[in-house]
mmCIF file of all heavy atoms in Angstrom:
data_model
loop_
_atom_site.group_PDB
_atom_site.id
_atom_site.type_symbol
_atom_site.label_atom_id
_atom_site.label_comp_id
_atom_site.label_asym_id
_atom_site.label_seq_id
_atom_site.Cartn_x
_atom_site.Cartn_y
_atom_site.Cartn_z
ATOM 1 N N GLN A 1778 7.744 -4.386 -7.964
ATOM 2 C CA GLN A 1778 7.408 -4.234 -9.393
ATOM 3 C C GLN A 1778 5.914 -4.343 -9.699
ATOM 4 O O GLN A 1778 5.505 -4.383 -10.858
ATOM 5 C CB GLN A 1778 8.223 -5.194 -10.269
ATOM 6 C CG GLN A 1778 9.729 -4.931 -10.172
ATOM 7 C CD GLN A 1778 10.556 -5.744 -11.139
ATOM 8 O OE1 GLN A 1778 10.128 -6.791 -11.596
ATOM 9 N NE2 GLN A 1778 11.748 -5.274 -11.446
ATOM 10 N N SER A 1779 5.068 -4.389 -8.662
ATOM 11 C CA SER A 1779 3.616 -4.258 -8.868
ATOM 12 C C SER A 1779 3.326 -2.768 -9.057
ATOM 13 O O SER A 1779 4.162 -1.933 -8.722
ATOM 14 C CB SER A 1779 2.851 -4.742 -7.636
ATOM 15 O OG SER A 1779 3.041 -6.111 -7.415
ATOM 16 N N PRO A 1780 2.141 -2.417 -9.515
ATOM 17 C CA PRO A 1780 1.845 -0.982 -9.632
ATOM 18 C C PRO A 1780 1.899 -0.308 -8.254
ATOM 19 O O PRO A 1780 1.574 -0.942 -7.250
ATOM 20 C CB PRO A 1780 0.414 -0.963 -10.186
ATOM 21 C CG PRO A 1780 0.225 -2.291 -10.804
ATOM 22 C CD PRO A 1780 1.044 -3.254 -10.009
ATOM 23 N N GLY A 1781 2.327 0.954 -8.226
ATOM 24 C CA GLY A 1781 2.354 1.692 -6.958
ATOM 25 C C GLY A 1781 1.442 2.901 -7.080
ATOM 26 O O GLY A 1781 0.806 3.098 -8.110
ATOM 27 N N ALA A 1782 1.359 3.700 -6.017
ATOM 28 C CA ALA A 1782 0.604 4.959 -6.035
ATOM 29 C C ALA A 1782 -0.794 4.815 -6.612
ATOM 30 O O ALA A 1782 -1.238 5.660 -7.381
ATOM 31 C CB ALA A 1782 1.373 6.036 -6.810
ATOM 32 N N CYS A 1783 -1.468 3.738 -6.314
ATOM 33 C CA CYS A 1783 -2.865 3.654 -6.753
ATOM 34 C C CYS A 1783 -3.721 3.062 -5.649
ATOM 35 O O CYS A 1783 -3.206 2.596 -4.631
ATOM 36 C CB CYS A 1783 -2.999 2.872 -8.055
ATOM 37 S SG CYS A 1783 -2.200 1.285 -8.046
ATOM 38 N N ASN A 1784 -5.020 3.126 -5.881
ATOM 39 C CA ASN A 1784 -5.968 2.647 -4.884
ATOM 40 C C ASN A 1784 -5.734 1.158 -4.612
ATOM 41 O O ASN A 1784 -5.807 0.337 -5.529
ATOM 42 C CB ASN A 1784 -7.377 2.893 -5.437
ATOM 43 C CG ASN A 1784 -8.439 2.503 -4.445
ATOM 44 O OD1 ASN A 1784 -8.306 2.728 -3.238
ATOM 45 N ND2 ASN A 1784 -9.510 1.901 -4.939
ATOM 46 N N GLY A 1785 -5.487 0.819 -3.342
ATOM 47 C CA GLY A 1785 -5.090 -0.537 -2.982
ATOM 48 C C GLY A 1785 -6.030 -1.627 -3.499
ATOM 49 O O GLY A 1785 -5.601 -2.541 -4.208
ATOM 50 N N PRO A 1786 -7.337 -1.551 -3.169
ATOM 51 C CA PRO A 1786 -8.222 -2.647 -3.586
ATOM 52 C C PRO A 1786 -8.294 -2.824 -5.103
ATOM 53 O O PRO A 1786 -8.342 -3.947 -5.586
ATOM 54 C CB PRO A 1786 -9.590 -2.237 -3.013
ATOM 55 C CG PRO A 1786 -9.258 -1.351 -1.868
ATOM 56 C CD PRO A 1786 -8.008 -0.628 -2.246
ATOM 57 N N THR A 1787 -8.287 -1.724 -5.866
ATOM 58 C CA THR A 1787 -8.353 -1.872 -7.328
ATOM 59 C C THR A 1787 -7.111 -2.587 -7.829
ATOM 60 O O THR A 1787 -7.193 -3.527 -8.627
ATOM 61 C CB THR A 1787 -8.451 -0.497 -8.034
ATOM 62 O OG1 THR A 1787 -9.344 0.331 -7.322
ATOM 63 C CG2 THR A 1787 -8.899 -0.638 -9.472
ATOM 64 N N CYS A 1788 -5.956 -2.150 -7.341
ATOM 65 C CA CYS A 1788 -4.697 -2.758 -7.772
ATOM 66 C C CYS A 1788 -4.688 -4.240 -7.421
ATOM 67 O O CYS A 1788 -4.355 -5.095 -8.245
ATOM 68 C CB CYS A 1788 -3.541 -2.026 -7.100
ATOM 69 S SG CYS A 1788 -1.965 -2.810 -7.386
ATOM 70 N N SER A 1789 -5.080 -4.568 -6.185
ATOM 71 C CA SER A 1789 -4.984 -5.985 -5.817
ATOM 72 C C SER A 1789 -5.997 -6.825 -6.588
ATOM 73 O O SER A 1789 -5.712 -7.977 -6.912
ATOM 74 C CB SER A 1789 -5.073 -6.197 -4.307
ATOM 75 O OG SER A 1789 -6.292 -5.824 -3.818
ATOM 76 N N GLU A 1790 -7.144 -6.250 -6.957
ATOM 77 C CA GLU A 1790 -8.115 -7.047 -7.726
ATOM 78 C C GLU A 1790 -7.647 -7.285 -9.163
ATOM 79 O O GLU A 1790 -7.906 -8.337 -9.737
ATOM 80 C CB GLU A 1790 -9.492 -6.383 -7.697
ATOM 81 C CG GLU A 1790 -10.126 -6.483 -6.314
ATOM 82 C CD GLU A 1790 -11.620 -6.184 -6.304
ATOM 83 O OE1 GLU A 1790 -12.190 -5.923 -7.387
ATOM 84 O OE2 GLU A 1790 -12.212 -6.204 -5.218
ATOM 85 N N VAL A 1791 -6.955 -6.307 -9.738
ATOM 86 C CA VAL A 1791 -6.409 -6.508 -11.094
ATOM 87 C C VAL A 1791 -5.447 -7.699 -11.052
ATOM 88 O O VAL A 1791 -5.503 -8.614 -11.883
ATOM 89 C CB VAL A 1791 -5.684 -5.234 -11.596
ATOM 90 C CG1 VAL A 1791 -4.862 -5.515 -12.855
ATOM 91 C CG2 VAL A 1791 -6.689 -4.118 -11.862
ATOM 92 N N GLN A 1792 -4.570 -7.697 -10.049
ATOM 93 C CA GLN A 1792 -3.608 -8.796 -9.935
ATOM 94 C C GLN A 1792 -4.301 -10.102 -9.576
ATOM 95 O O GLN A 1792 -4.007 -11.164 -10.130
ATOM 96 C CB GLN A 1792 -2.556 -8.455 -8.870
ATOM 97 C CG GLN A 1792 -1.679 -7.277 -9.262
ATOM 98 C CD GLN A 1792 -0.425 -7.170 -8.421
ATOM 99 O OE1 GLN A 1792 -0.495 -7.292 -7.200
ATOM 100 N NE2 GLN A 1792 0.702 -6.927 -9.048
ATOM 101 N N SER A 1793 -5.241 -10.009 -8.649
ATOM 102 C CA SER A 1793 -5.926 -11.219 -8.177
ATOM 103 C C SER A 1793 -6.652 -11.918 -9.330
ATOM 104 O O SER A 1793 -6.540 -13.135 -9.496
ATOM 105 C CB SER A 1793 -6.911 -10.840 -7.077
ATOM 106 O OG SER A 1793 -7.592 -11.971 -6.619
ATOM 107 N N ASP A 1794 -7.352 -11.150 -10.146
ATOM 108 C CA ASP A 1794 -8.082 -11.760 -11.273
ATOM 109 C C ASP A 1794 -7.117 -12.445 -12.227
ATOM 110 O O ASP A 1794 -7.405 -13.513 -12.757
ATOM 111 C CB ASP A 1794 -8.877 -10.689 -12.042
ATOM 112 C CG ASP A 1794 -10.149 -10.320 -11.309
ATOM 113 O OD1 ASP A 1794 -10.509 -11.018 -10.340
ATOM 114 O OD2 ASP A 1794 -10.797 -9.323 -11.699
ATOM 115 N N TRP A 1795 -5.959 -11.804 -12.440
ATOM 116 C CA TRP A 1795 -5.000 -12.402 -13.371
ATOM 117 C C TRP A 1795 -4.466 -13.720 -12.799
ATOM 118 O O TRP A 1795 -4.381 -14.736 -13.507
ATOM 119 C CB TRP A 1795 -3.838 -11.430 -13.669
ATOM 120 C CG TRP A 1795 -2.966 -11.998 -14.737
ATOM 121 C CD1 TRP A 1795 -3.118 -11.884 -16.085
ATOM 122 C CD2 TRP A 1795 -1.851 -12.880 -14.535
ATOM 123 N NE1 TRP A 1795 -2.165 -12.619 -16.740
ATOM 124 C CE2 TRP A 1795 -1.378 -13.246 -15.814
ATOM 125 C CE3 TRP A 1795 -1.220 -13.391 -13.399
ATOM 126 C CZ2 TRP A 1795 -0.294 -14.098 -15.997
ATOM 127 C CZ3 TRP A 1795 -0.131 -14.248 -13.575
ATOM 128 C CH2 TRP A 1795 0.322 -14.581 -14.869
ATOM 129 N N ILE A 1796 -4.144 -13.731 -11.501
ATOM 130 C CA ILE A 1796 -3.599 -14.948 -10.872
ATOM 131 C C ILE A 1796 -4.649 -16.070 -10.903
ATOM 132 O O ILE A 1796 -4.350 -17.220 -11.235
ATOM 133 C CB ILE A 1796 -3.138 -14.666 -9.417
ATOM 134 C CG1 ILE A 1796 -1.980 -13.658 -9.413
ATOM 135 C CG2 ILE A 1796 -2.723 -15.951 -8.718
ATOM 136 C CD1 ILE A 1796 -1.620 -13.107 -8.035
ATOM 137 N N VAL A 1797 -5.890 -15.722 -10.582
ATOM 138 C CA VAL A 1797 -6.975 -16.720 -10.598
ATOM 139 C C VAL A 1797 -7.090 -17.317 -12.003
ATOM 140 O O VAL A 1797 -7.186 -18.540 -12.170
ATOM 141 C CB VAL A 1797 -8.323 -16.094 -10.154
ATOM 142 C CG1 VAL A 1797 -9.479 -17.061 -10.409
ATOM 143 C CG2 VAL A 1797 -8.282 -15.701 -8.692
ATOM 144 N N GLY A 1798 -7.034 -16.464 -13.014
ATOM 145 C CA GLY A 1798 -7.139 -16.936 -14.397
ATOM 146 C C GLY A 1798 -6.000 -17.877 -14.740
ATOM 147 O O GLY A 1798 -6.201 -18.933 -15.357
ATOM 148 N N CYS A 1799 -4.798 -17.521 -14.318
ATOM 149 C CA CYS A 1799 -3.611 -18.309 -14.642
ATOM 150 C C CYS A 1799 -3.674 -19.678 -13.951
ATOM 151 O O CYS A 1799 -3.446 -20.719 -14.577
ATOM 152 C CB CYS A 1799 -2.377 -17.515 -14.189
ATOM 153 S SG CYS A 1799 -0.831 -18.295 -14.596
ATOM 154 N N ILE A 1800 -4.032 -19.684 -12.674
ATOM 155 C CA ILE A 1800 -4.113 -20.959 -11.933
ATOM 156 C C ILE A 1800 -5.264 -21.819 -12.485
ATOM 157 O O ILE A 1800 -5.121 -23.038 -12.645
ATOM 158 C CB ILE A 1800 -4.259 -20.690 -10.414
ATOM 159 C CG1 ILE A 1800 -2.916 -20.154 -9.884
ATOM 160 C CG2 ILE A 1800 -4.692 -21.944 -9.667
ATOM 161 C CD1 ILE A 1800 -2.887 -19.833 -8.410
ATOM 162 N N SER A 1801 -6.376 -21.194 -12.823
ATOM 163 C CA SER A 1801 -7.509 -21.952 -13.379
ATOM 164 C C SER A 1801 -7.112 -22.599 -14.702
ATOM 165 O O SER A 1801 -7.507 -23.729 -14.991
ATOM 166 C CB SER A 1801 -8.713 -21.039 -13.613
ATOM 167 O OG SER A 1801 -9.052 -20.412 -12.422
#
Side-chain angles (χ1 to χ4, degrees):
Q1778 298 187 337
S1779 295
C1783 51
N1784 183 39
T1787 318
C1788 173
S1789 64
E1790 289 195 2
V1791 168
Q1792 294 196 314
S1793 179
D1794 282 349
W1795 187 86
I1796 296 169
V1797 170
C1799 183
I1800 289 180
S1801 303

